[in-house]
Amino acid sequence: MRRHHLNNGRKRFGFIFCCLGLMLLGVFLRLGWLQIVRADSLKRMSESQLTADLVQKHPRGRIVDRDGEELAVSIMTGSLYVDPEGMVDGAEVAKKYPQRNVRRVAADLLAPVLKQDANKLYATFTGGGRFVWLKRTMEPKEVEDVRKLIKDNKLPGLHFLEESKRYYTKKRAAAQILGFIGTDDVGLSGLEYQLNDVLKGKDTKYSLMVDAAGQQILGSLLKDEEQNGQKRQEKLPTVYLTLDSKMQYVLEDAMDDAIQRTKAKGAAAIIMDPYTGEILGMASRPTFDPNHFGDFSADSWNNRAISMIYEPGSVFKPIVGCMGLTEGVITPDTIIQDNGSIRIADRVIHNWDGEGMGPVPFSTVIKFSINTGMVQLGMELGARRMIDYAKRFGFGSPTGIDLPGEEHGILYRAQDMYEPDIATMAIGQGIAVTPLQELRAICAIANGGELLKPYIVKKIVAPDGTIIKEGQKEVVRNVITPQVAAQMRAMMEKVVSEGGGKTAAIKGYRIAGKTGTAEKLAEGGGYAAGQYIASFVGFVPADKPRYAMLVMLDTPQGAFYGSQVSAPIFRDTLQQILVAKGIQPADSEGLPSFEEMHAMGAKENVKTKPTPQIQLLPNGKVKLPDFKGIDMRLAAELLQQGRLRLKPYGSGHAYQQRPPAGVEVDEGATVEIWFN
């Protein structure tokens, strides 16, 4: 019996021992499974719970002008974020602000510094989560103030990350060319968009050690700063533009003055090297400050120099003239009969003044912008030849400039054109162009026949000085012979020296150019009553062109002829540039210096102008004032008030008029005024 109990005890002990052995074996197997088989995955899980993954931004590359003057630069600055769950009440805050929780205190303290609503901040702090942006890319002074506020008040849960902040050093200058970036350092317009991949540095991803409450562990932060310091100092390429900052300044100033004087809805101006295709200056109005682009309308972001399409009017006539010269249809001396108007099918086309000059050589047709002569040439050329040549001159397709948003323009299909379409195209209506297309075509006349691809990026240089990309002259095709180009240059020079473009003349320099005044297209089709596009295009010196320039004003108020409003802008702008660049004529004695030009311009702006008054009489007639002493622009504005037409002679200030002062005339009558 006793032996039986002893055997049973041994069996129970053996069973328990086996169970314990199996349990220990299971523990060892489990440990082996965790330590060996699942070691990597558990390690990753542990790290994910103890680390916070962050992205380190880098400053964008610089954009500079042709001489290295900075236009767009970046600095690293702080972006503030909050960890709402980490905003726990602390003894320091409770002691300093009794009966107020930490979130309320933080909201009230931060609101005036961040210029945000305190209640909205409080809602953010109580909304949960571990990461919410409060303000991105803050100004350095603002960062300093917030850091001090957090430190002095022991506010938990508020942290900074470094991000790149963009500064446009010239403010509004070249705004549409440079463009702007969004809060994530991504280019949204202009070259910032076009060259985003070049300018934007690669983001560096890194991790920080955090405790159970999600707070950064200081040691790990310092270590990470050490490891990633070199990456944060990564240097990026510099983009050099073809722009000349001094020319751009003069151009921007001229555009501001033009808008103020003419009250135009918009404007564009371009200065181009006619032999290389380099854009030396480009301005558009309305404009904006890319440092604060959100404060301006989206319309002001548009670069009208490449995106606005309009009927060019008479500035297109030299192109049609080159067509006729090339085809042998006319020569500069070919006699053309000008009767003041011409009928084509059911359309009657008049000269701008309604007058005819009789038989005149074709050079006079260009000199005085005679519509009837151009219509006769257009009908002789025909639709197919005119469209083919227009395409060869680059119309109807983008120029390919390295800027986004360029328009194609509009050309008829030759087979769809009726006789009136041919006639109106010959005088620059019925074709839609961009300012850059028109200037490029005129540059082909200036340089002897080469149609160039315009460019604005001169070169992209790596940090070590290696040139990654370099802009260079690119000839698209030869469109006319040097002989034809020389003939048209001579005719365009007479436009300024003897014809309707005298207001573009610069003392001592040979200027070639062409004025243009075109009816503006209405949005619903047809033409907008009383709205015009006034333009002037030309180059200087006429015999050896250095600069070609186009000025376009959209719907100027008062005076609206290109000779009245656009040509003087061309003259004043290029006179300053020629003097500044030391391009002096042989008879330059007495010409002002660059600084004197600015001083003169400032005086002119404050000069009191004579103010004769148009009198509208009860009998429907208009009593003429004495126009003596006023300029052409003011005379045109006054006459428009009385619904009268101006027929000007010469340029400068009025010295004679017909009918004389005091005479009563009917509305719609023409008033002749002589200027010198």
Side-chain angles (χ1 to χ4, degrees), residues 226-297:
E226 263 178 34
Q227 292 174 345
N228 290 282
Q230 282 299 104
K231 293 181 181 178
R232 279 200 265 276
Q233 296 301 316
E234 176 189 352
K235 293 183 179 179
L236 294 170
T238 297
V239 175
Y240 285 79
L241 304 185
T242 59
L243 294 181
D244 182 303
S245 287
K246 182 170 281 190
M247 288 191 188
Q248 187 69 29
Y249 169 77
V250 173
L251 200 58
E252 298 280 356
D253 190 53
M255 287 290 94
D256 286 338
D257 184 62
I259 293 295
Q260 183 179 358
R261 288 174 181 269
T262 69
K263 304 297 187 293
K265 291 183 179 178
I270 313 168
I271 303 174
M272 181 172 166
D273 185 326
Y275 283 99
T276 65
E278 290 180 299
I279 301 299
L280 304 172
M282 179 183 284
S284 177
R285 292 295 182 275
T287 190
F288 69 103
D289 183 348
N291 293 296
H292 310 286
F293 66 90
D295 297 338
F296 298 82
S297 69

Side-chain angles (χ1 to χ4, degrees), residues 355-674:
E355 303 291 332
M357 298 182 69
V360 294
F362 181 72
S363 59
T364 299
V365 171
I366 293 294
K367 181 167 66 175
F368 290 110
S369 200
I370 299 173
N371 285 342
T372 60
M374 295 306 303
V375 169
Q376 292 174 61
L377 173 57
M379 299 309 297
E380 183 72 22
L381 286 167
R384 188 164 300 281
R385 283 196 288 189
M386 286 184 69
I387 293 298
D388 287 347
Y389 271 103
K391 288 179 179 178
R392 285 187 59 77
F393 271 98
F395 297 105
S397 59
T399 67
I401 190 172
D402 30 17
L403 286 170
E406 186 180 16
E407 290 287 346
H408 289 65
I410 301 173
L411 272 182
Y412 277 111
R413 293 194 310 165
Q415 59 268 35
D416 295 335
M417 294 178 72
Y418 297 95
E419 286 187 339
D421 300 327
I422 301 170
T424 54
M425 182 175 172
I427 61 173
Q429 303 268 181
I431 176 177
V433 308
T434 67
L436 183 58
Q437 285 176 336
E438 174 64 31
L439 181 59
R440 175 171 76 150
I442 293 297
C443 282
I445 298 172
N447 66 33
E450 294 179 338
L451 186 73
L452 304 177
K453 178 181 177 181
Y455 65 99
I456 203 164
V457 176
K458 189 172 184 66
K459 59 184 176 180
I460 300 175
V461 181
D464 63 0
T466 304
I467 296 178
I468 301 172
K469 178 184 176 182
E470 187 167 17
Q472 55 188 352
K473 176 179 177 178
E474 182 178 334
V475 180
V476 179
R477 66 182 74 90
N478 283 79
V479 291
I480 52 176
T481 65
Q483 292 75 22
V484 167
Q487 288 175 325
M488 185 52 66
R489 282 199 302 270
M491 285 187 268
M492 291 177 68
E493 185 175 359
K494 287 187 176 181
V495 170
V496 178
S497 62
E498 303 173 13
K502 286 182 178 179
T503 47
I506 302 174
K507 180 184 177 182
Y509 293 91
R510 295 176 61 182
I511 310 290
K514 187 70 188 75
T515 62
T517 307
E519 293 178 282
K520 186 178 177 180
L521 293 168
E523 291 184 6
Y527 294 100
Q531 297 187 30
Y532 300 90
I533 301 291
S535 55
F536 186 90
V537 65
F539 43 87
V540 59
D543 53 339
K544 296 179 181 179
R546 288 284 301 274
Y547 306 120
M549 180 178 176
L550 178 141
V551 179
M552 183 276 295
L553 296 177
D554 178 5
T555 322
Q557 304 301 302
F560 57 84
Y561 288 111
S563 60
Q564 296 170 318
V565 293
S566 298
I569 298 170
F570 175 96
R571 176 197 65 211
D572 296 343
T573 303
L574 278 180
Q575 183 166 347
Q576 294 183 61
I577 289 171
L578 290 167
V579 174
K581 295 298 180 181
I583 303 173
Q584 295 286 351
D587 55 343
S588 61
E589 186 177 351
L591 285 181
S593 68
F594 184 63
E595 292 71 23
E596 289 171 335
M597 285 297 302
H598 277 290
M600 289 168 60
K603 289 177 183 177
E604 286 179 4
N605 287 339
V606 299
K607 206 180 280 183
T608 302
K609 298 185 186 302
T611 53
Q613 299 294 319
I614 287 283
Q615 294 184 46
L616 303 178
L617 302 177
N619 60 4
K621 290 183 177 291
V622 181
K623 187 175 182 180
L624 295 178
D626 185 356
F627 292 99
K628 189 176 295 182
I630 69 172
D631 61 25
M632 190 182 298
R633 182 184 65 82
L634 183 56
E637 289 176 359
L638 291 170
L639 288 172
Q640 190 177 53
Q641 292 173 16
R643 299 179 182 176
L644 303 174
R645 297 180 62 186
L646 170 65
K647 185 174 183 179
Y649 299 95
S651 62
H653 293 82
Y655 70 93
Q656 184 179 334
Q657 70 185 75
R658 188 169 60 199
V663 171
E664 297 177 8
V665 298
D666 295 322
E667 287 187 4
T670 297
V671 178
E672 297 176 291
I673 303 179
W674 284 260

Side-chain angles (χ1 to χ4, degrees), residues 321-331 334 377 380-381 385 389 484 487:
C322 287
M323 300 178 191
L325 293 169
T326 302
E327 288 293 306
V329 174
I330 46 95
T331 69
T334 299
L377 173 57
E380 183 72 22
L381 286 167
R385 283 196 288 189
Y389 271 103
V484 167
Q487 288 175 325

Side-chain angles (χ1 to χ4, degrees), residues 54-62 73-77 79 136-137 161-166 181-187 192 196-206 224-225 227-237:
L54 300 172
V55 175
Q56 176 64 49
K57 303 288 186 180
H58 297 278
R60 289 174 75 84
R62 297 186 308 149
V73 295
S74 291
I75 65 167
M76 296 306 293
T77 186
S79 288
R136 308 279 295 272
T137 58
L161 285 178
E162 275 195 328
E163 289 194 291
S164 171
K165 183 174 179 64
R166 199 66 156 168
I181 64 171
T183 52
D184 290 316
D185 206 32
V186 175
E192 295 281 25
N196 188 65
D197 291 343
V198 173
L199 293 167
K200 190 180 189 308
K202 294 181 180 179
D203 295 340
T204 302
K205 293 183 178 180
Y206 67 101
D224 185 80
E225 292 272 356
Q227 292 174 345
N228 290 282
Q230 282 299 104
K231 293 181 181 178
R232 279 200 265 276
Q233 296 301 316
E234 176 189 352
K235 293 183 179 179
L236 294 170

